[in-house]
Amino acid sequence: MKAAMSESIFRKDGTAQGVAKQRLIETIAKPDERVINDPYADRFVLGASFIKLMGHKFNIWLGEKIAPGFHEHLISRTRFIDDLIEKSAASGIEQYVILGAGYDSRAHRLELPSSLKIFEVDQPEVQVRKRAKLPKELPNSENISYVAVDFVSQSLTEQLTDAGFDQSKSSIFTLEGVSQYITKKAFSSTIEEVATLTQRVSSIFFVSYVNELLTKNPEACFGKGYPNAEKRVKLITYGSAKVGEPWISFYGAEEIESILSQNGYALKENVTLKDLNSRYFAPVGRALSENQLFHLEHFVVAKSKI
Ligand SMILES: C[S@@+](CC[C@H](N)C(=O)[O-])C[C@H]1O[C@@H](n2cnc3c(N)ncnc32)[C@H](O)[C@@H]1O
């Protein structure tokens, strides 16, 4: 009974709901204090009305009790990619492929040129639910194609090209909050496919990955004085496993750089919440202290060598 209930609530989208929840919490902050604004996030969150009623500050306080910095980590990841996409679009990139898009609404909430063609890739069940929950009238809908792919068992190339991906156009790919859920084999073959699809033109690849130190030496991932690092790691990973999406793949910086390099990408940036705290949270008066910071997940930007 319990299993059937949790299946009906989280059908492959438990973690996508979890990220949308943090975007909702950020969105209800005062406009001059928030780091991102996602007006669609509430549609994907169970108990969204209650979260709104409790307000931004209460939700932040509560999150801090459970895992300090976790909310800010997800929000800085979203904002970092938003900035990257806006910058790339302004410099004329022609296609954007969102790998494992989940309930991200970047394609609708950012001001992007109508010439930018966007492909949202995820598991079919998640896409069906997303489309059912989004409003019928949405900014930029005409430029978006939904592409159903399971990275573990299906070919990205075939599905993307069938959906109209043009191999002669410059492109950016983002794999946000996904690499920890798929096997290393599926990750490598996905990036190999991306490299082959874009071998004739310049491309950018963003990937977030979970630091392998998290399992080997959790304390090393956290800032000085971070409370009960090991216990918090267990709590975070337990939450994902509980909704049927365990973290199974962890990476080191050299390993990621080597996978990218083997596929013709040069690493340009590798940052974490620790680096982004001063960029995003300090300017709105919400800088985190050292004991709330971590290097748990890394955000990497790589550019093709051609
Ligand atoms: C934590 S969510 C992140 C969603 C979104 N990128 C965000 O940051 O809001 C992980 C996403 O990866 C997708 N995913 C996990 N395994 C996948 C697979 N084998 N094939 C395709 N998508 C997958 C899930 O459906 C989910 O949308």
Side-chain angles (χ1 to χ4, degrees):
M1 174 73 177
K2 220 169 170 186
M5 195 172 152
S6 78
E7 258 171 44
S8 68
I9 299 173
F10 304 114
R11 286 160 301 176
K12 299 194 175 180
D13 71 338
T15 61
Q17 285 189 36
V19 191
K21 179 178 169 187
Q22 297 310 319
R23 285 197 295 266
L24 167 61
I25 292 171
E26 188 64 19
T27 298
I28 58 175
K30 288 188 189 143
D32 59 348
E33 286 177 16
R34 68 187 172 205
V35 169
I36 59 129
N37 175 24
D38 182 349
Y40 307 104
D42 60 349
R43 293 167 180 265
F44 304 104
V45 179
L46 286 170
S49 311
F50 184 68
I51 290 171
K52 287 183 196 171
L53 194 69
M54 293 297 112
H56 172 76
K57 286 211 159 80
F58 174 79
N59 282 289
I60 292 290
W61 172 83
L62 189 65
E64 222 179 277
K65 298 273 159 240
I66 301 166
F70 195 69
H71 167 82
E72 289 77 6
H73 141 247
L74 289 174
I75 296 307
S76 65
R77 184 177 83 189
T78 298
R79 174 62 188 273
F80 181 80
I81 304 173
D82 285 357
D83 289 353
L84 176 69
I85 296 305
E86 286 181 328
K87 206 167 76 193
S88 306
S91 64
I93 213 144
E94 296 157 290
Q95 300 180 115
Y96 174 26
V97 182
I98 313 177
L99 299 167
Y103 297 143
D104 163 56
S105 62
R106 187 169 288 126
H108 305 290
R109 63 184 170 76
L110 298 186
E111 296 247 347
L112 298 171
S114 57
S115 55
L116 180 71
K117 188 108 185 61
I118 300 175
F119 299 88
E120 288 211 1
V121 180
D122 209 304
Q123 306 177 91
E125 301 87 338
V126 178
Q127 295 197 319
V128 166
R129 223 161 305 130
K130 181 174 190 175
R131 297 179 84 168
K133 287 187 184 289
L134 281 173
K136 295 287 160 272
E137 298 293 323
L138 271 171
N140 208 23
S141 313
E142 60 287 2
N143 296 316
I144 299 162
S145 304
Y146 280 83
V147 187
V149 179
D150 183 328
F151 300 129
V152 178
S153 58
Q154 284 181 303
S155 153
L156 177 67
T157 308
E158 204 178 305
Q159 309 293 96
L160 256 189
T161 41
D162 282 357
F165 180 85
D166 186 338
Q167 298 190 27
S168 67
K169 289 190 169 163
S170 59
S171 304
I172 179 160
F173 291 74
T174 59
L175 188 72
E176 176 188 11
V178 181
S179 69
Q180 58 268 51
Y181 301 104
I182 59 176
T183 58
K184 289 198 171 187
K185 189 164 167 248
F187 172 61
S188 293
S189 64
T190 301
I191 183 158
E192 262 169 50
E193 288 196 73
V194 167
T196 310
L197 276 164
T198 56
Q199 60 191 325
R200 298 185 347 235
V201 277
S202 68
S203 62
I204 299 172
F205 190 81
F206 167 93
V207 59
S208 64
Y209 70 89
V210 175
N211 192 332
E212 64 184 1
L213 282 175
L214 201 73
T215 51
K216 295 180 180 164
N217 177 8
E219 298 277 339
C221 288
F222 294 86
K224 213 168 169 213
Y226 191 96
N228 298 320
E230 206 163 331
K231 198 176 113 200
R232 312 286 174 171
V233 169
K234 284 201 179 114
L235 206 67
I236 294 166
T237 50
Y238 174 80
S240 285
K242 183 87 180 138
V243 296
E245 297 166 56
W247 288 8
I248 55 169
S249 299
F250 306 88
Y251 297 87
E254 281 175 14
E255 184 181 7
I256 281 288
E257 193 164 1
S258 151
I259 298 171
L260 289 166
S261 173
Q262 281 160 25
N263 287 288
Y265 283 101
L267 192 137
K268 295 291 169 198
E269 244 182 310
N270 184 341
V271 294
T272 66
L273 173 64
K274 271 198 164 193
D275 310 293
L276 299 177
N277 183 32
S278 56
R279 194 184 301 181
Y280 296 137
F281 294 101
V284 292
R286 291 169 51 198
L288 298 178
S289 51
E290 175 70 18
N291 65 357
Q292 298 172 304
L293 292 172
F294 48 64
H295 285 304
L296 184 149
E297 194 178 28
H298 287 241
F299 314 140
V300 168
V301 180
K303 290 198 172 146
S304 63
K305 291 176 190 158
I306 59 160

